[in-house]
Amino acid sequence: MGNGSPPVTATVCRCRCVGVESSGDGGHLGPDIKHDWSISVRGLCLTRRWKFPRLFLVFLFFLSAELVKADCECGYSTNIGGIDGAPKREYVFTDLLETNFLRLNDISVNTDWQRQEFNISKDAARGDYGEMFLPADIETSPAGAKSGDGDDSGLKLVVKSGLVDGMVPVAEIDSYRPDLSFGSFRASMKMTDIPGTCAAFFWYFNDTQEIDMEFLSREFNSSNNTYPVNLVLQSRASLATHDASSTGYFIKANLPFNPTTGFHEYRIDYIHGQVFFYADGVVLAQMNGSAVPSSPGHLILQHWSNGNALWSGGPPARDTVLTVEYVKAYFNSSLGQRAQDWRDRCRDPYAENAVCAIPSFDGKNSSARDWFFSDHGNMTNNQTVSNENSGSSLVRRGELMTVMGGLFLASGWVTGLW
């Protein structure tokens, strides 16, 4: 208090709770009253007595309360459905994966995504040419940097026009996490207008459990405003015939915009027994039945060509690019530890801000497009998020302030400040 009020003696020790006692009469604590101060500091246990004014104890109490307070601890919610007059329902997902490729300088060190390197022979690809997936065909162009392909910034997946050993150089990048179960998965992308490639955003477990959004540039027709997207649930039936169009789990939906002139958000909502497909927040189609996956999987971004006249066509007349601005995934993890983490942090799902609504992008509201929970440390407590700029470290955001608070207390103890 700084006005001669009597100090108190306190002890810091590792404990699960934080508490401050009072004298019971509303006045100051007596000079000989011992005051137990307990605070959890990430496994750091300190025991030392010191003297300082009561007001500073109160300050530490409110500081510690702020350190353990966080929003979105019980998850992230979105409305799903609403097709054919059916009402939308709110779903809550416990985990997130968000990547803003406009900020990413080097994809090779990012800890959320892994560039793929493998070859597919002509026979296995069922095309005129094989496919050569190369990390070198994945480029990062952060916002503000000079771009080698127009002015578009973001992650670029390149399909080359020239063959290498009878194969087309193509690109694929996969999420590291393989535990993506039910969830809402979104990607902002700009397609190429050069015929001869297939751009794909999909959720994948194996060849019989796969949710696809595939864009064939040869199908785009600006003369009659036809811009299809192929929506597919791969299944045992499609694997047997290599043709999903006859399985009942294939829909060719026309986009209400030209996907080659700007970025648009494409979205897959996967819940128990149902899959919904969206473009800029508008439901394109719904699928249900036995082909809906039942296992956890991961996300894939892909841009390829193999000369198959019935699908990708190509190769393209010149090098072509699929550009990705961001991926946002909100999902339930199949890992037992992540389920336990959720139970530990979700104290009251009905508390204010315990569940955070995911902003929905409708093609116009830039605030939703530019929103990332991972930009706000207090909204990703206990979430594992890659460092956006370098990707060189993983941070459990929301715990950083707790660690800093612990270091603050420890440094004061060591230096004799207390």
Side-chain angles (χ1 to χ4, degrees), residues 35-174:
H35 202 78
D36 287 333
W37 178 262
S38 304
I39 185 169
S40 176
V41 187
R42 294 282 294 173
L44 180 65
C45 184
L46 304 177
T47 302
R48 178 165 176 152
R49 295 176 181 274
W50 69 87
K51 294 186 177 183
F52 50 87
R54 178 187 178 196
L55 180 60
F56 190 69
L57 276 177
V58 176
F59 164 75
L60 286 181
F61 174 79
F62 285 106
L63 173 64
S64 63
E66 184 62 28
L67 293 181
V68 299
K69 179 183 176 182
D71 292 338
C72 317
E73 290 186 327
C74 295
Y76 310 89
S77 68
T78 191
N79 293 321
I80 295 177
I83 194 170
D84 296 331
K88 291 184 178 181
R89 294 185 57 188
E90 182 184 37
Y91 289 82
V92 175
F93 303 110
T94 61
D95 283 49
L96 63 75
L97 185 161
E98 294 180 324
T99 306
N100 185 347
F101 292 111
L102 297 179
R103 301 179 190 164
L104 195 62
N105 293 312
D106 186 356
I107 189 63
S108 68
V109 295
N110 183 267
T111 53
D112 282 338
W113 297 93
Q114 184 175 33
R115 299 172 300 167
Q116 301 299 302
E117 183 173 11
F118 60 94
N119 296 335
I120 303 178
S121 69
K122 178 178 71 172
D123 292 339
R126 298 181 303 280
D128 295 340
Y129 311 99
E131 301 164 26
M132 179 183 289
F133 289 86
L134 296 171
D137 289 335
I138 299 176
E139 305 171 359
T140 48
S141 179
K146 291 185 178 179
S147 173
D149 184 79
D151 296 325
D152 294 330
S153 298
L155 185 73
K156 298 185 177 185
L157 283 72
V158 182
V159 173
K160 299 288 182 62
S161 57
L163 300 178
V164 177
D165 296 331
M167 293 179 284
V168 183
V170 297
E172 177 182 318
I173 190 165
D174 296 15

